[in-house]
Amino acid sequence: MKNFLKKFISDNLGKIIVFLSIFLLSSICGIIYFKYIDIYSKNYLTTYMNDINTKLLNNEYTINNMQIIYLTIINIFKNILIIYILGCSVIFAKLNYIFFAYKGFSIGISVSSVIYLLGRLKGTIYSLLAIFLPNILIILVFILLSVLWINFSNMIIKNKSLYKLKEYIYRNTVITLITMFLIILCIIPIQLLSVNCIYNFLKII
């Protein structure tokens, strides 16, 4: 598995860099975009955040670890399912680039809104705990799976043949399922740690 991963990354380094670049650029676009959101939306965010802080101080919020685990699994499953469906469709596999642009743009808006609400220092700390910590590993895995299915799509289109089609779909499906299982096992403790850190952080700011 380790050797397969090394070879896969080495053979597809160019595509991986393209995905990372799209993700980072769209994140920057999201950060810039938030600056031009109307003041009413920003005031709504401020009110919402103040409401959360009040509930935290009054101990009205409690952490439900089982719900966190459930939502984490559902979120990973939905995203991998999108990558899988686009990949199996062959002609739509490259839409994964747009999928990553959307993910990056959403994260950029989230980071910018947190910094706007909490200030530069506190907002940066919160972003590291709430956004970057649980998402770094997930994004990297999503990129690798997207490249896997884009390679499959390119192979089918280039050869214009259904020879061994079922074999390749079966192989990629098994790899996708194993990867999903492993990432869920790895990310759940990270997500639980992240949420608990956020909870304590918000109570002291």
Side-chain angles (χ1 to χ4, degrees), residues 55-79:
K55 290 181 178 180
L56 284 171
L57 291 173
N58 295 330
N59 293 317
E60 295 177 26
Y61 267 161
T62 57
I63 297 177
N64 188 332
N65 288 330
M66 290 306 299
Q67 186 179 22
I68 293 168
I69 292 172
Y70 171 76
L71 292 174
T72 300
I73 293 173
I74 292 298
N75 183 54
I76 292 173
F77 175 77
K78 285 194 299 184
N79 283 280

Side-chain angles (χ1 to χ4, degrees), residues 43-97:
N43 288 339
Y44 174 79
L45 284 172
T46 303
T47 303
Y48 177 73
M49 194 66 186
N50 289 336
D51 182 56
I52 290 177
N53 286 336
T54 301
K55 290 181 178 180
L56 284 171
L57 291 173
N58 295 330
N59 293 317
E60 295 177 26
Y61 267 161
T62 57
I63 297 177
N64 188 332
N65 288 330
M66 290 306 299
Q67 186 179 22
I68 293 168
I69 292 172
Y70 171 76
L71 292 174
T72 300
I73 293 173
I74 292 298
N75 183 54
I76 292 173
F77 175 77
K78 285 194 299 184
N79 283 280
I80 289 181
L81 184 62
I82 291 171
I83 295 170
Y84 179 77
I85 291 173
L86 291 176
C88 286
S89 69
V90 178
I91 57 174
F92 295 117
K94 288 184 172 60
L95 288 178
N96 275 309
Y97 290 115

Side-chain angles (χ1 to χ4, degrees), residues 177-190:
L177 289 173
I178 292 173
T179 303
M180 182 174 67
F181 178 73
L182 291 176
I183 190 63
I184 286 173
L185 286 181
C186 293
I187 206 64
I188 283 175
I190 296 175

Side-chain angles (χ1 to χ4, degrees), residues 107 110-111 114 118 123-136 190-191 193-195 197-199 201-202:
I107 287 178
S110 299
V111 170
V114 167
L118 302 179
T124 301
I125 295 173
Y126 183 93
S127 296
L128 289 172
L129 294 173
I131 301 171
F132 291 110
L133 179 62
N135 277 294
I136 289 175
I190 296 175
Q191 188 71 47
L193 174 64
S194 172
V195 171
C197 288
I198 294 165
Y199 179 78
F201 175 73
L202 288 175

